Amino acid sequence: MPSSPQRIPYPGAIRINVEGAFIVDEDISPRSSTATGFRTADINGSGSNTHNRDIVLPYHTAEVSHIAVDIGGSLAKLVYFTRDQDSIGGRLNFTMFETENIEDLVAFMSTLISARRQTITEETAEAEIAQSEKKKVYVMATGGGAYKFYDRLRRQLDVEIWREDEMECLIVGLDFFITEIPFEVFTYSEQNPMSFVEAKSNIYPYLLVNIGSGVSMIKVSGPRQFNRIGGSSLGGGTLWGLLSLLTGAKTFDDMLQMAADGDNTNVDMLVGDIYGSDYGRIGLKSTTIASSFGKVFKKRLESDDGVQIQDIAGNRIAISGDSLDDNQKEDEDEESEHKPARFNAEDISRSLLYAVSNNIGQISYLQAQRFNLDHIYFGGSFIRGHPQTMNTLSYAIKFWSNGEKKAYFLRHEGYLGAVGAFLKRQPSGWGHRNSMDDGKRTVVITPDS
């Protein structure tokens, strides 16, 4: 568990001052092709935070007394502010938990809240603030878990919980990253893995494809002007669930690592397997996937002893409904004239990752084409900076649109909702987004009420 912040300051008239903001991680080069992604994963069920995605706000001096959480079906994302003891500013901190480990999330949030309640803000005259107010902390919550776990959060944290609309938080968070944070948004290709896009204010209209447990596709026409135009039930939860059954992997990061190590051509049927070469007349390369998992069925028919799944070391992996122990099965394999068809868990992981990503990419293109949207932003914790995922989504958009539409990714792709909820905690009388205050760039949101 990460060390407790020394303070979560008292609210006051806060404005998020983004002047000079930057992401802590300076190493933005891709890792090797076998790596899980571009940065160390920040989820292990205990809320570890490597701080390599923290956003430093060097000139933000206003007080902050709230934390924000986006609780989805698979992952819970947490955003909170801490004061930098070595400068006048502070930073936004980011960390994740698996939703099934909700008690770990609550325990970590309790640590943050306790640290706040034990802190007396030095910048504020004590005579002006009641003791009860100095200890007040708010939790801004969004996602389905904001409703599912509402009573538990209120009871165990003993704080006021503000529930915010999930879709609106996604848009507010994405707008913030697109317009205010440098080196946040990028395009991806195998030739140029991270080509950063400059922060800009003229961003509408665009399509947000948020990939969590499922997929939501949202057309955004302007600030807080949006509508959900489609989606899919085949998302991160699909990949997580099927690979849990097929490979025995315990975490999403394990699955992504296996996918990075795998070779889908051992599992998928390609155009070249059917034609022996490219199908140039309709623009299909020999390496194009014609049928996901197509070779599994074929090899199954060629084997009298079924299918076995094994890890990279050749050890058999038990799958759902398998009642034979390893020793018994291996003995039967040695005695059998026909060996069972064998598939590596890594190859299966890569094949399924491609299947889910290709499906999302094509549906995204169709929705963008339907509403004449050229800019497509992919968010959600499914992506996790994983090269194969981003390359598949980018290639799908480029291929189907003949290069007319672009796929964009974010370094904080999983935190859109949490950041949106964080920004929604505003005192009355605030102005609009991107307002100017004494020549300094600030981000403010007009409250709904």
Side-chain angles (χ1 to χ4, degrees):
M1 181 175 292
S3 59
S4 302
Q6 294 191 11
R7 64 173 59 191
I8 299 181
Y10 179 78
I14 173 179
R15 289 172 181 260
I16 305 299
N17 187 345
V18 295
E19 182 182 6
F22 64 92
I23 302 173
V24 172
D25 184 13
E26 297 179 356
D27 181 11
I28 56 177
S29 60
R31 301 189 212 168
S32 67
S33 60
T34 60
T36 300
F38 289 140
R39 62 256 174 187
T40 305
D42 60 352
I43 170 176
N44 63 6
S46 61
S48 67
N49 185 348
T50 58
H51 300 294
N52 67 335
R53 277 193 284 178
D54 290 355
I55 295 179
V56 174
L57 304 171
Y59 299 105
H60 181 80
T61 58
E63 309 279 358
V64 180
S65 69
H66 63 281
I67 58 181
V69 62
D70 175 10
I71 308 177
S74 302
L75 297 171
K77 289 75 67 175
L78 188 68
V79 175
Y80 58 97
F81 179 84
T82 54
R83 180 70 61 198
D84 191 339
Q85 301 301 310
D86 298 324
S87 69
I88 62 173
R91 66 174 62 191
L92 289 179
N93 303 267
F94 303 84
T95 191
M96 286 187 187
F97 295 78
E98 292 183 10
T99 303
E100 66 179 18
N101 299 321
I102 190 68
E103 289 299 334
D104 292 333
L105 168 66
V106 173
F108 184 66
M109 293 175 68
S110 180
T111 300
L112 296 176
I113 292 169
S114 295
R116 162 65 193 102
R117 286 173 171 165
Q118 294 171 4
T119 300
I120 298 177
T121 306
E122 298 174 357
E123 294 85 353
T124 307
E126 294 191 36
E128 300 175 2
I129 305 174
Q131 186 66 27
S132 60
E133 288 297 311
K134 281 194 294 185
K135 295 185 177 182
K136 186 173 292 186
V137 180
Y138 297 91
V139 172
M140 310 299 294
T142 190
Y147 297 86
K148 181 178 181 179
F149 300 110
Y150 177 74
D151 292 335
R152 176 184 292 190
L153 292 174
R154 286 197 66 185
R155 181 178 66 256
Q156 294 185 230
L157 297 177
D158 190 26
V159 295
E160 188 171 357
I161 310 294
W162 293 67
R163 291 178 291 192
E164 297 292 343
D165 179 76
E166 181 177 4
M167 295 299 170
E168 184 169 354
C169 286
L170 287 172
I171 302 309
V172 170
L174 178 56
D175 282 1
F176 171 76
F177 284 123
I178 294 175
T179 60
E180 306 294 352
I181 304 301
F183 300 105
E184 171 68 41
V185 180
F186 61 95
T187 59
Y188 182 93
S189 67
E190 289 183 328
Q191 296 74 26
N192 190 5
M194 294 188 83
S195 178
F196 286 103
V197 178
E198 289 187 12
K200 56 184 180 180
S201 58
N202 183 22
I203 61 176
Y204 308 109
Y206 65 78
L207 176 66
L208 167 60
V209 180
N210 194 62
I211 315 172
S213 298
V215 184
S216 287
M217 299 178 184
I218 308 168
K219 175 189 174 184
V220 183
S221 304
R224 300 199 181 192
Q225 299 175 22
F226 62 90
N227 60 298
R228 187 180 188 273
I229 58 176
S232 174
S233 63
L234 304 181
T238 307
L239 182 70
W240 196 335
L242 288 176
L243 289 184
S244 295
L245 289 174
L246 294 174
T247 69
K250 302 300 183 183
T251 70
F252 196 40
D253 284 330
D254 289 343
M255 297 172 191
L256 292 180
Q257 186 61 61
M258 286 195 299
D261 294 336
D263 181 358
N264 70 296
T265 62
N266 294 324
V267 177
D268 295 337
M269 184 178 294
L270 310 181
V271 168
D273 296 323
I274 300 173
Y275 287 91
S277 63
D278 297 344
Y279 189 176
R281 185 173 182 179
I282 59 175
L284 295 179
K285 297 180 180 179
S286 62
T287 55
T288 301
I289 298 173
S291 175
S292 297
F293 284 79
K295 288 180 180 175
V296 175
F297 179 69
K298 181 180 179 181
K299 291 184 179 181
R300 172 65 179 87
L301 292 180
E302 295 172 350
S303 171
D304 292 336
D305 290 313
V307 173
Q308 281 189 11
I309 300 175
Q310 57 191 24
D311 61 23
I312 197 169
N315 301 314
R316 180 186 169 192
I317 296 175
I319 60 177
S320 180
D322 191 352
S323 59
L324 297 178
D325 61 46
D326 291 343
N327 292 332
Q328 181 180 358
K329 187 60 182 175
E330 288 180 4
D331 290 341
E332 290 185 3
D333 291 346
E334 294 298 326
E335 297 172 359
S336 176
E337 180 180 352
H338 302 283
K339 303 296 184 183
R342 299 181 186 272
F343 298 94
N344 289 333
E346 290 79 8
D347 299 342
I348 289 173
S349 299
R350 190 158 185 145
S351 173
L352 191 57
L353 177 69
Y354 279 157
V356 173
S357 300
N358 274 322
N359 181 64
I360 295 172
Q362 185 165 15
I363 296 175
S364 300
Y365 159 73
L366 292 173
Q367 294 289 9
Q369 184 73 3
R370 176 187 173 199
F371 289 95
N372 194 29
L373 303 171
D374 292 333
H375 303 290
I376 306 172
Y377 293 88
F378 288 94
S381 300
F382 170 78
I383 301 172
R384 306 290 293 281
H386 193 254
Q388 283 77 30
T389 305
M390 293 188 293
N391 188 60
T392 302
L393 294 170
S394 291
Y395 181 82
I397 300 302
K398 182 178 180 180
F399 177 83
W400 292 110
S401 71
N402 292 319
E404 294 180 0
K405 303 183 186 299
K406 281 191 175 183
Y408 298 94
F409 304 93
L410 299 98
R411 299 184 67 194
H412 293 85
E413 74 278 84
Y415 292 95
L416 305 185
V419 169
F422 186 89
L423 293 173
K424 293 262 293 187
R425 172 61 185 166
Q426 310 291 356
S428 60
W430 276 38
H432 297 281
R433 275 188 57 86
N434 299 318
S435 66
M436 306 298 290
D437 180 27
D438 297 330
K440 296 182 179 180
R441 294 172 59 226
T442 60
V443 175
V444 294
I445 307 293
T446 302
D448 293 329
S449 57

